[in-house]
Amino acid sequence: MTSLAWLIPAALTLGLMGLGGFLWALRSGQFEDLDGAGWRAIEDGEPANTAAQEESADRHA
């Protein structure tokens, strides 16, 4: 019976921590673009920033 006195508050604390983490992720925009990261990972082309950096390097050389 004493184990329930520890387990119930521990379960509630972990549940509240999970809820807090979910609400933080929701407010910080973690679920805004769910498909974009997956498409960028399988895309063969170079990122746009790399091409712009190479052009600026060529101009300065």
Side-chain angles (χ1 to χ4, degrees):
M1 195 64 170
T2 58
S3 63
L4 287 178
W6 288 99
L7 289 176
I8 290 174
L12 289 174
T13 302
L14 290 175
L16 287 175
M17 288 174 59
L19 181 64
F22 173 73
L23 290 175
W24 171 80
L26 190 64
R27 288 185 182 176
S28 66
Q30 297 292 318
F31 302 110
E32 294 287 328
D33 186 18
L34 296 177
D35 295 332
W39 283 109
R40 283 190 297 274
I42 60 172
E43 188 174 322
D44 287 337
E46 294 182 18
N49 292 341
T50 304
Q53 291 175 352
E54 288 177 2
E55 287 180 14
S56 67
D58 290 340
R59 289 181 189 162
H60 295 289

